Amino acid sequence: MKIAIQCLCVLSRIDHELVEASTGHILAKFLTALQSPHGESLATPAREFLSLALSFHTKTRTLPAHISRLINSCAPSPQLSSRSIRAFYDGLVASPALALGHLNKLSMAVRTFITPGQTFEIARRVLDMLQEIWKRFRDVEKAAAADRGQGPRKKRRKSQSSANTGKEDADADAVTFMLATRIVGTVLTSLPLHTITEAEQARVKSMVAESLAGFVREAILVGADAAASGRSARGHDVWATQVVAAAALRLRYMLQSSGHALDGHDDQNDFDKLAAAIFQADDCLPEYSIEIVSLNALRSHLAYSWNKSFVICRTIDLIVTSSSNKSYLTPL
């Protein structure tokens, strides 16, 4: 496989059009490249191909199409089971397309080569794509919750194999959402807003703010809802919902701290609910708790409603817990 990727790099240098039609399929393969026996050796040629593809799309001013492909490539292979997805979670997060080096190059390309006419459209497109992934997860999770005896009852009980399939779909969609937020967050926080008029800037920021107050907020609160439902007869898959919630929290933090969203929704009640979720969930993922604390730190006016000792003690607890839950941690 390493030789195959190296051949793709050679073809790309000669004329990227030769491989352009297959780029989407190639990017999807890179997601699980590190899971192979020789995964480490595949990372270098994979990163090289990603750089060549990015260079081609910057020169041709077709970055929006390339970004869409990157987001579409975030879906894990259907061949991975729910257990495999959880076991390979760290590897999926560290895939070549999501490595810090590539994300930095993508950020620079967006800042430099996205034209004023493309700025609003690319923001709208990436948010729409992320919302579609969220809707897919939400629908699958609701169906799985019903099969577990929570939520709207089904007229006919599904088989055990069907229930397991629903769980696998929920895990896959949760990881897809988490991976996609990395791309979406990088793109949105890198948009060259200074190149467009104030009216257009307001349009972009307003659209981002609407998404934060809409489906992103739903994704954040689904983790708190799962914790609040209790340990017995829980109607949600805790792992999947907290992966989604942590990713949504990270995205909100990135957008609010970068100034790419207008101040709008008053989320005081949301933070109260999230604070309670940390205490209620015995199996709270460390990254989920860390994102809650990080976002709280951004909102300094909440210091009066959150006890400072809670933040300090919880952060120390997370550091200790992370040593025994390393497989669930992702880079911030």
Side-chain angles (χ1 to χ4, degrees):
M1 187 173 178
K2 179 180 179 180
I3 296 176
I5 300 175
Q6 290 173 332
C7 289
L8 289 172
C9 291
V10 172
L11 290 173
S12 178
R13 288 196 194 92
I14 296 171
D15 184 356
H16 190 79
E17 293 286 357
L18 295 173
V19 296
E20 175 60 13
S22 303
T23 299
H25 179 69
I26 295 168
L27 294 178
K29 292 294 184 181
F30 285 173
L31 183 64
T32 54
L34 297 181
Q35 311 306 329
S36 67
H38 307 289
E40 289 300 325
S41 65
L42 299 178
T44 299
R47 287 194 291 266
E48 182 181 357
F49 181 83
L50 285 166
S51 295
L52 290 168
L54 186 59
S55 176
F56 170 80
H57 286 284
T58 56
K59 292 175 182 177
T60 58
R61 294 295 194 274
T62 53
L63 268 176
H66 182 61
I67 290 169
S68 295
R69 284 177 178 169
L70 285 172
I71 295 174
N72 286 329
S73 72
C74 290
S77 170
Q79 297 176 348
L80 289 178
S81 66
S82 179
R83 180 176 298 179
S84 297
I85 289 174
R86 299 189 185 195
F88 294 155
Y89 184 57
D90 284 351
L92 295 173
V93 174
S95 62
L98 297 169
L100 185 59
H102 177 255
L103 292 181
N104 286 339
K105 290 179 181 179
L106 178 62
S107 174
M108 182 60 69
V110 171
R111 284 193 178 96
T112 309
F113 295 102
I114 288 291
T115 66
Q118 293 175 326
T119 301
F120 180 83
E121 279 305 308
I122 188 61
R124 181 190 59 78
R125 180 185 297 186
V126 298
L127 285 170
D128 285 347
M129 294 181 73
L130 188 62
Q131 185 173 20
E132 283 303 310
I133 298 171
W134 157 249
K135 287 180 179 178
R136 189 163 64 243
F137 169 79
R138 181 191 61 190
D139 293 343
V140 169
E141 219 291 316
K142 283 183 177 179
D147 291 338
R148 290 191 293 267
Q150 301 291 327
R153 293 284 184 176
K154 298 290 184 181
K155 291 183 179 179
R156 179 169 54 89
R157 181 177 292 274
K158 293 187 177 182
S159 65
Q160 182 63 39
S161 61
S162 177
N164 290 338
T165 300
K167 180 179 180 180
E168 291 174 7
D169 290 342
D171 282 356
D173 289 335
V175 172
T176 301
F177 183 87
M178 182 273 295
L179 299 176
T181 58
R182 303 281 175 121
I183 304 295
V184 172
T186 299
V187 171
L188 291 178
T189 56
S190 304
L191 289 174
L193 297 184
H194 64 281
T195 65
I196 59 179
T197 64
E198 289 185 3
E200 281 296 292
Q201 289 182 30
R203 284 185 68 201
V204 173
K205 290 184 177 183
S206 177
M207 177 175 59
V208 172
E210 288 177 4
S211 296
L212 290 180
F215 78 91
V216 175
R217 178 174 179 264
E218 289 181 47
I220 290 172
L221 294 180
V222 74
D225 292 340
S229 65
R231 285 176 292 179
S232 60
R234 184 170 282 153
H236 301 270
D237 186 302
V238 175
W239 188 89
T241 55
Q242 289 188 8
V243 165
V244 167
L249 281 163
R250 185 182 301 115
L251 180 63
R252 178 189 274 188
Y253 178 88
M254 291 176 67
L255 293 172
Q256 290 184 337
S257 61
S258 68
H260 281 64
L262 293 176
D263 291 332
H265 175 68
D266 181 9
D267 45 17
Q268 172 65 61
N269 292 333
D270 292 353
F271 278 102
D272 292 341
K273 194 171 185 178
L274 291 170
I278 294 180
F279 289 115
Q280 291 173 342
D282 294 334
D283 48 0
C284 191
L285 298 185
E287 66 184 273
Y288 177 51
S289 299
I290 288 172
E291 294 302 336
I292 293 174
V293 173
S294 297
L295 193 56
N296 170 66
L298 177 65
R299 299 181 57 84
S300 58
H301 72 271
L302 291 180
Y304 296 103
S305 60
W306 277 45
N307 191 309
K308 290 183 180 179
S309 62
F310 158 73
V311 177
I312 295 172
C313 293
R314 189 54 183 167
T315 303
I316 293 174
D317 180 57
L318 289 171
I319 294 173
V320 175
T321 305
S322 65
S323 63
S324 60
N325 291 277
K326 189 175 180 181
S327 61
Y328 291 124
L329 287 173
T330 64
L332 292 177

Short mmCIF file of all heavy atoms in Angstrom, two decimals, residues 47-104:
data_model
loop_
_atom_site.label_atom_id
_atom_site.label_comp_id
_atom_site.label_asym_id
_atom_site.label_seq_id
_atom_site.Cartn_x
_atom_site.Cartn_y
_atom_site.Cartn_z
N ARG A 47 0.64 11.95 4.04
CA ARG A 47 0.73 13.40 4.27
C ARG A 47 1.24 14.12 3.03
O ARG A 47 0.81 15.24 2.73
CB ARG A 47 1.64 13.66 5.47
CG ARG A 47 1.02 13.32 6.82
CD ARG A 47 1.82 13.92 7.97
NE ARG A 47 3.12 13.28 8.10
CZ ARG A 47 3.36 12.25 8.92
NH1 ARG A 47 2.37 11.75 9.67
NH2 ARG A 47 4.56 11.72 9.01
N GLU A 48 2.15 13.47 2.31
CA GLU A 48 2.68 14.08 1.09
C GLU A 48 1.57 14.23 0.05
O GLU A 48 1.45 15.28 -0.60
CB GLU A 48 3.81 13.23 0.53
CG GLU A 48 4.46 13.83 -0.73
CD GLU A 48 5.57 12.94 -1.28
OE1 GLU A 48 5.87 11.89 -0.65
OE2 GLU A 48 6.14 13.30 -2.33
N PHE A 49 0.76 13.19 -0.11
CA PHE A 49 -0.34 13.28 -1.08
C PHE A 49 -1.34 14.36 -0.68
O PHE A 49 -1.85 15.09 -1.54
CB PHE A 49 -1.05 11.93 -1.19
CG PHE A 49 -2.17 11.94 -2.19
CD1 PHE A 49 -1.92 11.75 -3.55
CD2 PHE A 49 -3.49 12.16 -1.80
CE1 PHE A 49 -2.96 11.79 -4.48
CE2 PHE A 49 -4.52 12.19 -2.71
CZ PHE A 49 -4.26 12.01 -4.06
N LEU A 50 -1.63 14.45 0.61
CA LEU A 50 -2.56 15.48 1.09
C LEU A 50 -2.02 16.88 0.77
O LEU A 50 -2.79 17.77 0.35
CB LEU A 50 -2.77 15.34 2.59
CG LEU A 50 -3.66 14.18 3.04
CD1 LEU A 50 -3.50 13.95 4.54
CD2 LEU A 50 -5.12 14.46 2.70
N SER A 51 -0.73 17.08 0.93
CA SER A 51 -0.13 18.38 0.63
C SER A 51 -0.21 18.68 -0.87
O SER A 51 -0.48 19.82 -1.27
CB SER A 51 1.33 18.41 1.09
OG SER A 51 1.42 18.30 2.49
N LEU A 52 0.02 17.67 -1.70
CA LEU A 52 -0.05 17.85 -3.14
C LEU A 52 -1.47 18.18 -3.58
O LEU A 52 -1.69 19.06 -4.43
CB LEU A 52 0.45 16.59 -3.86
CG LEU A 52 1.95 16.30 -3.75
CD1 LEU A 52 2.26 14.89 -4.23
CD2 LEU A 52 2.73 17.33 -4.55
N ALA A 53 -2.46 17.49 -2.99
CA ALA A 53 -3.86 17.76 -3.32
C ALA A 53 -4.26 19.16 -2.89
O ALA A 53 -4.94 19.89 -3.63
CB ALA A 53 -4.77 16.72 -2.66
N LEU A 54 -3.82 19.57 -1.70
CA LEU A 54 -4.13 20.90 -1.20
C LEU A 54 -3.49 21.97 -2.09
O LEU A 54 -4.11 22.99 -2.39
CB LEU A 54 -3.64 21.04 0.24
CG LEU A 54 -3.99 22.32 0.99
CD1 LEU A 54 -5.50 22.51 1.07
CD2 LEU A 54 -3.39 22.30 2.40
N SER A 55 -2.26 21.73 -2.50
CA SER A 55 -1.56 22.67 -3.37
C SER A 55 -2.29 22.83 -4.70
O SER A 55 -2.44 23.95 -5.22
CB SER A 55 -0.13 22.20 -3.62
OG SER A 55 0.55 23.04 -4.52
N PHE A 56 -2.76 21.72 -5.25
CA PHE A 56 -3.50 21.78 -6.52
C PHE A 56 -4.75 22.62 -6.39
O PHE A 56 -5.04 23.48 -7.24
CB PHE A 56 -3.86 20.36 -6.96
CG PHE A 56 -4.83 20.31 -8.11
CD1 PHE A 56 -4.38 20.50 -9.42
CD2 PHE A 56 -6.19 20.08 -7.90
CE1 PHE A 56 -5.27 20.46 -10.49
CE2 PHE A 56 -7.08 20.05 -8.96
CZ PHE A 56 -6.63 20.24 -10.27
N HIS A 57 -5.51 22.42 -5.31
CA HIS A 57 -6.78 23.13 -5.16
C HIS A 57 -6.60 24.60 -4.78
O HIS A 57 -7.49 25.41 -5.05
CB HIS A 57 -7.66 22.40 -4.14
CG HIS A 57 -8.25 21.14 -4.65
ND1 HIS A 57 -9.32 21.11 -5.53
CD2 HIS A 57 -7.90 19.83 -4.45
CE1 HIS A 57 -9.61 19.86 -5.84
NE2 HIS A 57 -8.77 19.07 -5.19
N THR A 58 -5.47 24.92 -4.17
CA THR A 58 -5.22 26.35 -3.93
C THR A 58 -4.88 27.06 -5.23
O THR A 58 -5.30 28.20 -5.45
CB THR A 58 -4.07 26.53 -2.92
OG1 THR A 58 -2.90 25.85 -3.39
CG2 THR A 58 -4.45 25.99 -1.56
N LYS A 59 -4.12 26.39 -6.08
CA LYS A 59 -3.74 27.00 -7.36
C LYS A 59 -4.95 27.16 -8.28
O LYS A 59 -5.03 28.13 -9.05
CB LYS A 59 -2.67 26.15 -8.05
CG LYS A 59 -1.34 26.15 -7.32
CD LYS A 59 -0.36 25.19 -7.99
CE LYS A 59 0.97 25.15 -7.25
NZ LYS A 59 1.91 24.15 -7.85
N THR A 60 -5.87 26.21 -8.23
CA THR A 60 -7.04 26.25 -9.11
C THR A 60 -8.24 26.95 -8.48
O THR A 60 -9.31 27.02 -9.09
CB THR A 60 -7.44 24.83 -9.52
OG1 THR A 60 -7.71 24.05 -8.34
CG2 THR A 60 -6.35 24.16 -10.33
N ARG A 61 -8.05 27.48 -7.23
CA ARG A 61 -9.12 28.17 -6.51
C ARG A 61 -10.36 27.29 -6.33
O ARG A 61 -11.49 27.73 -6.44
CB ARG A 61 -9.51 29.47 -7.22
CG ARG A 61 -8.42 30.53 -7.24
CD ARG A 61 -8.10 31.01 -5.82
NE ARG A 61 -7.33 32.24 -5.79
CZ ARG A 61 -6.00 32.32 -5.86
NH1 ARG A 61 -5.30 31.19 -5.97
NH2 ARG A 61 -5.37 33.47 -5.81
N THR A 62 -10.12 25.99 -6.09
CA THR A 62 -11.22 25.04 -5.90
C THR A 62 -11.19 24.43 -4.50
O THR A 62 -11.57 23.27 -4.31
CB THR A 62 -11.16 23.91 -6.96
OG1 THR A 62 -9.85 23.33 -6.95
CG2 THR A 62 -11.45 24.46 -8.35
N LEU A 63 -10.73 25.20 -3.54
CA LEU A 63 -10.67 24.71 -2.15
C LEU A 63 -12.01 24.23 -1.61
O LEU A 63 -12.05 23.24 -0.87
CB LEU A 63 -10.09 25.79 -1.24
CG LEU A 63 -8.58 25.78 -1.02
CD1 LEU A 63 -8.16 26.97 -0.18
CD2 LEU A 63 -8.13 24.48 -0.37
N PRO A 64 -13.13 24.91 -1.90
CA PRO A 64 -14.41 24.44 -1.37
C PRO A 64 -14.70 22.97 -1.71
O PRO A 64 -15.18 22.21 -0.86
CB PRO A 64 -15.43 25.39 -2.00
CG PRO A 64 -14.67 26.66 -2.18
CD PRO A 64 -13.29 26.21 -2.59
N ALA A 65 -14.40 22.57 -2.95
CA ALA A 65 -14.64 21.18 -3.34
C ALA A 65 -13.73 20.24 -2.56
O ALA A 65 -14.15 19.15 -2.13
CB ALA A 65 -14.39 21.02 -4.84
N HIS A 66 -12.48 20.62 -2.36
CA HIS A 66 -11.53 19.78 -1.62
C HIS A 66 -11.95 19.66 -0.16
O HIS A 66 -11.88 18.57 0.43
CB HIS A 66 -10.14 20.40 -1.71
CG HIS A 66 -9.08 19.60 -1.02
ND1 HIS A 66 -8.77 18.29 -1.38
CD2 HIS A 66 -8.25 19.91 0.03
CE1 HIS A 66 -7.80 17.83 -0.59
NE2 HIS A 66 -7.48 18.79 0.27
N ILE A 67 -12.41 20.75 0.43
CA ILE A 67 -12.85 20.73 1.84
C ILE A 67 -14.06 19.81 2.00
O ILE A 67 -14.15 19.06 2.97
CB ILE A 67 -13.17 22.16 2.31
CG1 ILE A 67 -11.86 22.97 2.43
CG2 ILE A 67 -13.90 22.14 3.65
CD1 ILE A 67 -12.08 24.45 2.62
N SER A 68 -14.96 19.85 1.04
CA SER A 68 -16.13 18.96 1.09
C SER A 68 -15.69 17.50 1.07
O SER A 68 -16.24 16.66 1.79
CB SER A 68 -17.06 19.25 -0.09
OG SER A 68 -17.61 20.54 0.01
N ARG A 69 -14.69 17.20 0.25
CA ARG A 69 -14.18 15.82 0.20
C ARG A 69 -13.53 15.41 1.51
O ARG A 69 -13.67 14.27 1.96
CB ARG A 69 -13.16 15.69 -0.94
CG ARG A 69 -13.79 15.64 -2.32
CD ARG A 69 -12.72 15.58 -3.38
NE ARG A 69 -13.28 15.48 -4.71
CZ ARG A 69 -12.57 15.62 -5.83
NH1 ARG A 69 -11.28 15.87 -5.74
NH2 ARG A 69 -13.14 15.51 -7.01
N LEU A 70 -12.81 16.33 2.12
CA LEU A 70 -12.18 16.03 3.41
C LEU A 70 -13.25 15.68 4.45
O LEU A 70 -13.08 14.73 5.23
CB LEU A 70 -11.36 17.22 3.89
CG LEU A 70 -10.01 17.45 3.19
CD1 LEU A 70 -9.40 18.78 3.65
CD2 LEU A 70 -9.04 16.31 3.46
N ILE A 71 -14.34 16.45 4.47
CA ILE A 71 -15.41 16.18 5.44
C ILE A 71 -16.07 14.84 5.13
O ILE A 71 -16.34 14.04 6.04
CB ILE A 71 -16.44 17.32 5.43
CG1 ILE A 71 -15.79 18.62 5.91
CG2 ILE A 71 -17.65 16.97 6.30
CD1 ILE A 71 -16.69 19.84 5.81
N ASN A 72 -16.32 14.57 3.85
CA ASN A 72 -16.95 13.30 3.47
C ASN A 72 -16.07 12.11 3.81
O ASN A 72 -16.57 11.00 4.05
CB ASN A 72 -17.26 13.29 1.97
CG ASN A 72 -18.45 14.17 1.62
OD1 ASN A 72 -19.37 14.33 2.42
ND2 ASN A 72 -18.44 14.75 0.43
N SER A 73 -14.75 12.32 3.85
CA SER A 73 -13.82 11.22 4.13
C SER A 73 -13.75 10.87 5.62
O SER A 73 -13.05 9.93 5.99
CB SER A 73 -12.41 11.58 3.64
OG SER A 73 -11.80 12.56 4.46
N CYS A 74 -14.49 11.61 6.45
CA CYS A 74 -14.42 11.39 7.91
C CYS A 74 -15.25 10.19 8.38
O CYS A 74 -15.21 9.85 9.56
CB CYS A 74 -14.88 12.65 8.65
SG CYS A 74 -13.73 14.03 8.52
N ALA A 75 -15.99 9.57 7.50
CA ALA A 75 -16.82 8.43 7.90
C ALA A 75 -15.98 7.17 7.98
O ALA A 75 -15.33 6.79 6.99
CB ALA A 75 -17.96 8.25 6.91
N PRO A 76 -15.95 6.49 9.14
CA PRO A 76 -15.19 5.24 9.25
C PRO A 76 -15.73 4.19 8.29
O PRO A 76 -16.90 4.22 7.90
CB PRO A 76 -15.41 4.81 10.71
CG PRO A 76 -15.80 6.07 11.42
CD PRO A 76 -16.57 6.87 10.41
N SER A 77 -14.89 3.27 7.92
CA SER A 77 -15.29 2.20 7.01
C SER A 77 -16.43 1.38 7.61
O SER A 77 -16.42 1.07 8.80
CB SER A 77 -14.10 1.28 6.72
OG SER A 77 -14.51 0.13 6.03
N PRO A 78 -17.43 1.02 6.80
CA PRO A 78 -18.54 0.18 7.29
C PRO A 78 -18.06 -1.16 7.83
O PRO A 78 -18.78 -1.83 8.58
CB PRO A 78 -19.42 -0.01 6.05
CG PRO A 78 -19.09 1.15 5.15
CD PRO A 78 -17.63 1.41 5.40
N GLN A 79 -16.86 -1.56 7.45
CA GLN A 79 -16.33 -2.85 7.91
C GLN A 79 -15.92 -2.82 9.38
O GLN A 79 -15.77 -3.86 10.01
CB GLN A 79 -15.12 -3.23 7.05
CG GLN A 79 -15.45 -3.44 5.58
CD GLN A 79 -14.21 -3.72 4.74
OE1 GLN A 79 -13.09 -3.55 5.21
NE2 GLN A 79 -14.43 -4.17 3.51
N LEU A 80 -15.74 -1.62 9.94
CA LEU A 80 -15.37 -1.51 11.35
C LEU A 80 -16.60 -1.70 12.23
O LEU A 80 -17.61 -1.04 12.05
CB LEU A 80 -14.74 -0.15 11.63
CG LEU A 80 -13.35 0.12 11.06
CD1 LEU A 80 -12.91 1.54 11.40
CD2 LEU A 80 -12.34 -0.88 11.60
N SER A 81 -16.51 -2.61 13.18
CA SER A 81 -17.60 -2.83 14.13
C SER A 81 -17.56 -1.76 15.21
O SER A 81 -16.62 -0.97 15.29
CB SER A 81 -17.48 -4.21 14.76
OG SER A 81 -16.31 -4.27 15.56
N SER A 82 -18.60 -1.73 16.04
CA SER A 82 -18.63 -0.77 17.14
C SER A 82 -17.42 -0.95 18.05
O SER A 82 -16.79 0.02 18.47
CB SER A 82 -19.92 -0.95 17.95
OG SER A 82 -19.96 -0.06 19.03
N ARG A 83 -17.07 -2.21 18.33
CA ARG A 83 -15.90 -2.47 19.18
C ARG A 83 -14.63 -1.99 18.50
O ARG A 83 -13.73 -1.43 19.15
CB ARG A 83 -15.82 -3.97 19.49
CG ARG A 83 -14.65 -4.35 20.36
CD ARG A 83 -14.67 -5.83 20.70
NE ARG A 83 -15.86 -6.18 21.46
CZ ARG A 83 -16.13 -7.42 21.87
NH1 ARG A 83 -15.30 -8.41 21.60
NH2 ARG A 83 -17.23 -7.68 22.55
N SER A 84 -14.52 -2.20 17.19
CA SER A 84 -13.33 -1.78 16.46
C SER A 84 -13.21 -0.26 16.45
O SER A 84 -12.12 0.29 16.61
CB SER A 84 -13.37 -2.30 15.02
OG SER A 84 -13.35 -3.71 14.99
N ILE A 85 -14.34 0.43 16.27
CA ILE A 85 -14.32 1.89 16.24
C ILE A 85 -13.80 2.45 17.56
O ILE A 85 -12.97 3.36 17.58
CB ILE A 85 -15.72 2.44 15.92
CG1 ILE A 85 -16.07 2.16 14.47
CG2 ILE A 85 -15.80 3.95 16.21
CD1 ILE A 85 -17.49 2.52 14.09
N ARG A 86 -14.27 1.88 18.66
CA ARG A 86 -13.82 2.36 19.97
C ARG A 86 -12.36 2.01 20.22
O ARG A 86 -11.61 2.82 20.79
CB ARG A 86 -14.71 1.77 21.07
CG ARG A 86 -16.16 2.18 20.92
CD ARG A 86 -16.99 1.79 22.13
NE ARG A 86 -18.41 2.08 21.91
CZ ARG A 86 -19.31 2.11 22.88
NH1 ARG A 86 -18.97 1.86 24.12
NH2 ARG A 86 -20.58 2.38 22.60
N ALA A 87 -11.93 0.83 19.78
CA ALA A 87 -10.55 0.42 19.97
C ALA A 87 -9.59 1.25 19.12
O ALA A 87 -8.47 1.54 19.54
CB ALA A 87 -10.39 -1.07 19.62
N PHE A 88 -10.05 1.65 17.91
CA PHE A 88 -9.21 2.40 16.99
C PHE A 88 -9.42 3.91 17.10
O PHE A 88 -8.94 4.67 16.27
CB PHE A 88 -9.50 1.98 15.55
CG PHE A 88 -9.10 0.57 15.24
CD1 PHE A 88 -9.72 -0.12 14.21
CD2 PHE A 88 -8.12 -0.08 15.97
CE1 PHE A 88 -9.36 -1.43 13.91
CE2 PHE A 88 -7.75 -1.39 15.69
CZ PHE A 88 -8.38 -2.07 14.65
N TYR A 89 -10.14 4.32 18.14
CA TYR A 89 -10.52 5.74 18.27
C TYR A 89 -9.31 6.67 18.20
O TYR A 89 -9.30 7.65 17.44
CB TYR A 89 -11.26 5.92 19.60
CG TYR A 89 -11.81 7.29 19.86
CD1 TYR A 89 -12.69 7.88 18.97
CD2 TYR A 89 -11.47 7.99 21.02
CE1 TYR A 89 -13.22 9.15 19.22
CE2 TYR A 89 -11.98 9.25 21.28
CZ TYR A 89 -12.86 9.82 20.37
OH TYR A 89 -13.38 11.06 20.61
N ASP A 90 -8.27 6.37 18.95
CA ASP A 90 -7.06 7.21 18.94
C ASP A 90 -6.46 7.28 17.55
O ASP A 90 -6.00 8.33 17.11
CB ASP A 90 -6.03 6.69 19.92
CG ASP A 90 -6.38 7.03 21.37
OD1 ASP A 90 -7.32 7.81 21.56
OD2 ASP A 90 -5.71 6.51 22.27
N GLY A 91 -6.42 6.13 16.86
CA GLY A 91 -5.84 6.09 15.52
C GLY A 91 -6.63 6.89 14.52
O GLY A 91 -6.07 7.54 13.63
N LEU A 92 -7.95 6.87 14.65
CA LEU A 92 -8.80 7.64 13.75
C LEU A 92 -8.57 9.14 13.93
O LEU A 92 -8.51 9.90 12.96
CB LEU A 92 -10.28 7.30 13.99
CG LEU A 92 -10.70 5.86 13.66
CD1 LEU A 92 -12.14 5.62 14.11
CD2 LEU A 92 -10.56 5.58 12.17
N VAL A 93 -8.45 9.55 15.19
CA VAL A 93 -8.21 10.96 15.48
C VAL A 93 -6.86 11.41 14.94
O VAL A 93 -6.69 12.55 14.52
CB VAL A 93 -8.29 11.22 17.01
CG1 VAL A 93 -7.90 12.65 17.34
CG2 VAL A 93 -9.70 10.94 17.51
N ALA A 94 -5.89 10.50 14.95
CA ALA A 94 -4.53 10.83 14.51
C ALA A 94 -4.30 10.54 13.03
O ALA A 94 -3.16 10.52 12.58
CB ALA A 94 -3.53 10.04 15.35
N SER A 95 -5.36 10.31 12.26
CA SER A 95 -5.20 10.01 10.84
C SER A 95 -4.53 11.19 10.12
O SER A 95 -4.58 12.34 10.59
CB SER A 95 -6.57 9.72 10.21
OG SER A 95 -7.41 10.85 10.30
N PRO A 96 -3.86 10.94 8.99
CA PRO A 96 -3.08 11.98 8.31
C PRO A 96 -3.85 13.26 8.01
O PRO A 96 -3.31 14.36 8.17
CB PRO A 96 -2.64 11.27 7.01
CG PRO A 96 -2.56 9.83 7.39
CD PRO A 96 -3.70 9.62 8.35
N ALA A 97 -5.11 13.15 7.61
CA ALA A 97 -5.88 14.34 7.27
C ALA A 97 -6.18 15.20 8.47
O ALA A 97 -6.47 16.40 8.34
CB ALA A 97 -7.19 13.94 6.58
N LEU A 98 -6.15 14.61 9.68
CA LEU A 98 -6.46 15.35 10.89
C LEU A 98 -5.23 15.67 11.73
O LEU A 98 -5.35 16.23 12.82
CB LEU A 98 -7.47 14.56 11.74
CG LEU A 98 -8.81 14.32 11.06
CD1 LEU A 98 -9.62 13.31 11.85
CD2 LEU A 98 -9.58 15.60 10.91
N ALA A 99 -4.06 15.35 11.20
CA ALA A 99 -2.81 15.67 11.90
C ALA A 99 -2.64 17.18 11.96
O ALA A 99 -3.10 17.91 11.07
CB ALA A 99 -1.63 15.03 11.18
N LEU A 100 -1.99 17.65 13.01
CA LEU A 100 -1.83 19.09 13.21
C LEU A 100 -1.15 19.76 12.02
O LEU A 100 -1.52 20.86 11.62
CB LEU A 100 -1.03 19.34 14.49
CG LEU A 100 -0.87 20.81 14.91
CD1 LEU A 100 -2.23 21.46 15.14
CD2 LEU A 100 -0.01 20.91 16.17
N GLY A 101 -0.14 19.09 11.46
CA GLY A 101 0.56 19.67 10.32
C GLY A 101 -0.36 19.93 9.14
O GLY A 101 -0.30 21.00 8.52
N HIS A 102 -1.22 18.95 8.83
CA HIS A 102 -2.14 19.14 7.70
C HIS A 102 -3.20 20.18 8.01
O HIS A 102 -3.55 21.00 7.15
CB HIS A 102 -2.81 17.81 7.34
CG HIS A 102 -3.82 17.93 6.24
ND1 HIS A 102 -5.18 17.91 6.46
CD2 HIS A 102 -3.65 18.14 4.90
CE1 HIS A 102 -5.80 18.06 5.32
NE2 HIS A 102 -4.91 18.20 4.36
N LEU A 103 -3.72 20.17 9.23
CA LEU A 103 -4.73 21.17 9.59
C LEU A 103 -4.15 22.58 9.54
O LEU A 103 -4.85 23.53 9.15
CB LEU A 103 -5.30 20.87 10.97
CG LEU A 103 -6.16 19.61 11.10
CD1 LEU A 103 -6.66 19.45 12.53
CD2 LEU A 103 -7.34 19.64 10.13
N ASN A 104 -2.89 22.74 9.92
CA ASN A 104 -2.25 24.05 9.83
C ASN A 104 -2.11 24.50 8.38
O ASN A 104 -2.32 25.67 8.05
CB ASN A 104 -0.87 24.02 10.50
CG ASN A 104 -0.96 24.00 12.02
OD1 ASN A 104 -1.97 24.38 12.59
ND2 ASN A 104 0.10 23.55 12.68
#
